[in-house]
Amino acid sequence: MKSAFSALLLAASLTGCVTSWVVDSDVKSFSSIGTVAHGATYRFDRLPSQQADGARQESLEAMAGAALDKVGLRRDDARPQYTAQIGARVTAGLSPWADPWLYNGPWGYGYGGHGYYGRRWYGGGWYGGPVFAPPANPWYEREVSIVLREAGSNRVVYETRARNDGPYTSSAAILPVMFQAALQGFPNPPQGERRVNIELPTAQARK
Protein backbone atom coordinates (compact mmCIF):
# COMPACT_ATOMS: atom_id res chain seq x y z
CA MET A 1 0.00 0.00 0.00
CA LYS A 2 2.75 2.45 0.95
CA SER A 3 4.64 2.00 -2.33
CA ALA A 4 1.41 2.39 -4.27
CA PHE A 5 0.58 5.58 -2.40
CA SER A 6 4.09 6.90 -3.05
CA ALA A 7 3.54 6.36 -6.77
CA LEU A 8 0.23 8.16 -6.50
CA LEU A 9 1.89 11.17 -4.89
CA LEU A 10 4.46 11.25 -7.67
CA ALA A 11 1.76 11.11 -10.33
CA ALA A 12 -0.12 13.90 -8.59
CA SER A 13 2.96 16.13 -8.56
CA LEU A 14 3.48 15.54 -12.27
CA THR A 15 -0.10 15.94 -13.43
CA GLY A 16 -1.48 18.29 -10.80
CA CYS A 17 -4.73 16.30 -10.69
CA VAL A 18 -5.76 12.88 -9.42
CA THR A 19 -9.33 11.83 -10.18
CA SER A 20 -9.38 8.30 -8.76
CA TRP A 21 -7.68 6.18 -6.15
CA VAL A 22 -7.26 2.41 -6.02
CA VAL A 23 -8.37 0.85 -2.75
CA ASP A 24 -5.88 -2.00 -2.51
CA SER A 25 -7.04 -4.54 0.06
CA ASP A 26 -5.11 -7.57 1.28
CA VAL A 27 -7.70 -10.35 1.36
CA LYS A 28 -7.63 -13.84 2.84
CA SER A 29 -10.58 -16.22 2.58
CA PHE A 30 -11.50 -19.75 3.63
CA SER A 31 -14.38 -21.68 2.07
CA SER A 32 -15.98 -25.10 2.45
CA ILE A 33 -18.80 -24.29 0.03
CA GLY A 34 -18.81 -26.01 -3.34
CA THR A 35 -21.57 -24.05 -5.02
CA VAL A 36 -24.17 -21.55 -3.89
CA ALA A 37 -27.43 -21.13 -5.76
CA HIS A 38 -28.08 -17.60 -6.96
CA GLY A 39 -30.51 -15.97 -4.57
CA ALA A 40 -29.49 -18.06 -1.56
CA THR A 41 -30.78 -16.34 1.56
CA TYR A 42 -29.08 -15.03 4.69
CA ARG A 43 -29.70 -12.92 7.75
CA PHE A 44 -27.26 -10.94 9.86
CA ASP A 45 -26.20 -12.33 13.23
CA ARG A 46 -24.95 -9.80 15.82
CA LEU A 47 -22.62 -10.33 18.75
CA PRO A 48 -23.71 -8.84 22.09
CA SER A 49 -21.21 -5.99 21.70
CA GLN A 50 -22.65 -5.22 18.26
CA GLN A 51 -26.19 -5.19 19.62
CA ALA A 52 -25.17 -2.46 22.06
CA ASP A 53 -24.52 -0.02 19.18
CA GLY A 54 -27.39 -0.72 16.83
CA ALA A 55 -27.02 2.38 14.65
CA ARG A 56 -23.36 1.68 13.86
CA GLN A 57 -24.06 -1.98 13.17
CA GLU A 58 -26.96 -1.16 10.86
CA SER A 59 -24.64 1.09 8.86
CA LEU A 60 -22.03 -1.69 8.56
CA GLU A 61 -24.69 -4.23 7.61
CA ALA A 62 -25.88 -1.96 4.81
CA MET A 63 -22.31 -1.84 3.47
CA ALA A 64 -21.80 -5.59 3.76
CA GLY A 65 -25.30 -6.28 2.43
CA ALA A 66 -24.53 -4.46 -0.81
CA ALA A 67 -21.43 -6.63 -1.26
CA LEU A 68 -23.35 -9.82 -0.45
CA ASP A 69 -25.98 -8.84 -3.02
CA LYS A 70 -23.25 -8.49 -5.65
CA VAL A 71 -22.23 -12.15 -5.20
CA GLY A 72 -25.83 -13.38 -5.50
CA LEU A 73 -26.94 -13.68 -1.87
CA ARG A 74 -30.30 -12.26 -0.77
CA ARG A 75 -31.25 -11.06 2.69
CA ASP A 76 -34.28 -12.86 4.15
CA ASP A 77 -34.55 -12.61 7.92
CA ALA A 78 -37.55 -14.97 7.99
CA ARG A 79 -36.12 -17.91 5.98
CA PRO A 80 -32.31 -17.67 5.92
CA GLN A 81 -30.11 -20.45 4.63
CA TYR A 82 -27.05 -18.74 6.11
CA THR A 83 -26.25 -16.33 8.90
CA ALA A 84 -23.70 -13.58 8.29
CA GLN A 85 -21.58 -12.17 11.10
CA ILE A 86 -19.64 -9.06 10.08
CA GLY A 87 -17.03 -6.87 11.70
CA ALA A 88 -15.07 -3.71 10.96
CA ARG A 89 -12.17 -1.92 12.63
CA VAL A 90 -10.64 1.50 11.92
CA THR A 91 -7.47 2.67 13.69
CA ALA A 92 -6.00 6.15 13.22
CA GLY A 93 -2.30 6.92 13.58
CA LEU A 94 0.51 9.06 12.22
CA SER A 95 1.35 8.84 8.54
CA PRO A 96 4.51 6.85 7.72
CA TRP A 97 5.35 9.71 5.33
CA ALA A 98 5.45 12.30 8.12
CA ASP A 99 8.77 14.00 8.85
CA PRO A 100 10.34 11.91 11.66
CA TRP A 101 12.32 14.93 12.92
CA LEU A 102 9.11 16.91 13.29
CA TYR A 103 7.36 14.24 15.36
CA ASN A 104 10.23 12.40 16.97
CA GLY A 105 12.97 14.93 17.48
CA PRO A 106 15.75 14.64 20.05
CA TRP A 107 13.30 15.46 22.89
CA GLY A 108 10.70 12.84 21.95
CA TYR A 109 7.31 12.86 20.25
CA GLY A 110 5.99 16.26 19.34
CA TYR A 111 9.29 18.14 19.41
CA GLY A 112 11.24 18.61 16.22
CA GLY A 113 13.14 20.93 13.99
CA HIS A 114 10.07 22.52 12.39
CA GLY A 115 7.83 23.49 15.28
CA TYR A 116 6.68 22.82 18.78
CA TYR A 117 3.49 20.83 19.30
CA GLY A 118 1.46 21.39 22.41
CA ARG A 119 0.97 25.02 21.51
CA ARG A 120 2.09 25.74 17.96
CA TRP A 121 5.00 27.99 17.22
CA TYR A 122 6.24 28.82 13.72
CA GLY A 123 8.44 31.87 14.10
CA GLY A 124 5.44 34.20 14.26
CA GLY A 125 4.61 33.73 17.92
CA TRP A 126 2.32 31.46 19.90
CA TYR A 127 -1.21 30.89 18.68
CA GLY A 128 -4.07 28.45 19.02
CA GLY A 129 -4.82 25.82 21.60
CA PRO A 130 -3.29 22.40 22.23
CA VAL A 131 -2.47 20.41 19.11
CA PHE A 132 -1.99 16.67 19.50
CA ALA A 133 -1.53 15.63 15.86
CA PRO A 134 -1.16 17.71 12.68
CA PRO A 135 -4.32 17.20 10.58
CA ALA A 136 -2.31 16.89 7.37
CA ASN A 137 -0.60 13.65 8.43
CA PRO A 138 -3.17 11.05 9.51
CA TRP A 139 -2.93 7.39 8.54
CA TYR A 140 -5.76 4.88 8.85
CA GLU A 141 -5.61 1.11 9.20
CA ARG A 142 -8.87 -0.63 8.34
CA GLU A 143 -10.08 -4.23 8.46
CA VAL A 144 -13.42 -5.83 7.64
CA SER A 145 -14.56 -9.43 8.08
CA ILE A 146 -17.46 -11.67 7.10
CA VAL A 147 -18.27 -15.10 8.53
CA LEU A 148 -21.05 -17.18 6.94
CA ARG A 149 -22.63 -20.09 8.83
CA GLU A 150 -25.25 -22.62 7.83
CA ALA A 151 -28.44 -21.49 9.54
CA GLY A 152 -29.42 -25.00 10.62
CA SER A 153 -26.14 -26.43 11.89
CA ASN A 154 -24.36 -23.13 12.74
CA ARG A 155 -21.32 -24.56 10.92
CA VAL A 156 -18.90 -21.99 9.50
CA VAL A 157 -18.78 -22.42 5.72
CA TYR A 158 -17.10 -19.18 4.63
CA GLU A 159 -14.69 -16.82 6.39
CA THR A 160 -13.01 -13.81 4.83
CA ARG A 161 -11.27 -10.61 5.85
CA ALA A 162 -9.77 -7.62 4.05
CA ARG A 163 -7.14 -5.14 5.30
CA ASN A 164 -6.21 -1.70 3.95
CA ASP A 165 -4.19 1.29 5.12
CA GLY A 166 -3.97 4.80 3.75
CA PRO A 167 -4.45 8.55 4.29
CA TYR A 168 -8.10 9.00 3.35
CA THR A 169 -10.53 9.78 6.16
CA SER A 170 -13.85 8.57 4.75
CA SER A 171 -14.57 5.13 6.14
CA ALA A 172 -18.12 5.51 4.81
CA ALA A 173 -16.70 5.41 1.27
CA ILE A 174 -13.85 2.93 1.78
CA LEU A 175 -15.40 0.21 3.98
CA PRO A 176 -18.07 -0.77 1.40
CA VAL A 177 -15.31 -1.28 -1.18
CA MET A 178 -13.38 -3.42 1.29
CA PHE A 179 -16.43 -5.63 1.87
CA GLN A 180 -16.59 -6.09 -1.92
CA ALA A 181 -12.90 -7.02 -1.96
CA ALA A 182 -13.40 -9.49 0.89
CA LEU A 183 -16.01 -11.37 -1.17
CA GLN A 184 -14.00 -11.40 -4.40
CA GLY A 185 -14.06 -14.95 -5.79
CA PHE A 186 -17.02 -16.11 -3.66
CA PRO A 187 -17.81 -18.96 -3.12
CA ASN A 188 -14.50 -20.43 -4.34
CA PRO A 189 -11.82 -17.81 -3.66
CA PRO A 190 -8.13 -18.25 -4.46
CA GLN A 191 -6.04 -19.83 -1.74
CA GLY A 192 -3.71 -17.72 0.36
CA GLU A 193 -3.57 -13.97 0.82
CA ARG A 194 -4.11 -11.89 -2.29
CA ARG A 195 -4.31 -8.25 -3.30
CA VAL A 196 -7.69 -7.00 -4.57
CA ASN A 197 -7.76 -3.56 -6.22
CA ILE A 198 -10.99 -1.59 -6.64
CA GLU A 199 -11.02 1.94 -8.02
CA LEU A 200 -12.67 4.69 -6.00
CA PRO A 201 -13.01 8.35 -7.07
CA THR A 202 -10.62 10.47 -5.02
CA ALA A 203 -13.32 13.08 -4.32
CA GLN A 204 -15.49 10.35 -2.78
CA ALA A 205 -12.66 9.07 -0.59
CA ARG A 206 -11.95 12.55 0.75
CA LYS A 207 -15.54 13.22 1.89
Side-chain angles (χ1 to χ4, degrees):
M1 170 63 198
K2 295 174 183 176
S3 60
F5 182 63
S6 180
L8 177 61
L9 287 177
L10 177 59
S13 66
L14 293 176
T15 65
C17 179
V18 176
T19 59
S20 64
W21 175 59
V22 173
V23 179
D24 49 351
S25 300
D26 293 318
V27 178
K28 195 167 186 178
S29 307
F30 303 88
S31 177
S32 61
I33 307 176
T35 59
V36 175
H38 186 83
T41 57
Y42 74 93
R43 66 170 172 83
F44 287 112
D45 189 20
R46 297 184 182 181
L47 297 171
S49 59
Q50 295 171 333
Q51 295 173 12
D53 192 348
R56 177 181 182 274
Q57 195 63 21
E58 285 178 9
S59 176
L60 291 175
E61 288 171 359
M63 299 176 187
L68 290 164
D69 289 346
K70 284 181 179 292
V71 297
L73 297 179
R74 179 174 59 86
R75 182 172 179 176
D76 185 340
D77 293 347
R79 294 185 297 275
Q81 296 169 255
Y82 302 99
T83 61
Q85 182 180 309
I86 65 170
R89 176 183 60 83
V90 181
T91 304
L94 184 66
S95 168
W97 310 105
D99 185 345
W101 174 253
L102 175 60
Y103 305 103
N104 296 284
W107 299 283
Y109 181 86
Y111 296 82
H114 304 288
Y116 169 85
Y117 284 86
R119 293 180 66 86
R120 285 190 196 167
W121 185 80
Y122 277 106
W126 297 94
Y127 69 99
V131 178
F132 299 101
N137 289 285
W139 198 259
Y140 300 91
E141 295 182 355
R142 295 179 172 89
E143 181 175 302
V144 302
S145 63
I146 301 175
V147 176
L148 290 181
R149 292 180 170 88
E150 289 181 340
S153 66
N154 206 37
R155 181 174 67 94
V156 174
V157 294
Y158 199 89
E159 179 185 358
T160 184
R161 65 185 61 246
R163 294 181 294 106
N164 166 272
D165 65 281
Y168 292 108
T169 61
S170 180
S171 293
I174 296 171
L175 292 178
V177 177
M178 293 179 64
F179 278 116
Q180 291 180 42
L183 287 168
Q184 189 259 3
F186 178 86
N188 302 117
Q191 293 185 353
E193 190 170 69
R194 61 197 186 278
R195 177 65 57 87
V196 177
N197 297 329
I198 300 177
E199 190 173 278
L200 181 68
T202 302
Q204 184 178 350
R206 291 182 184 275
K207 290 180 181 178

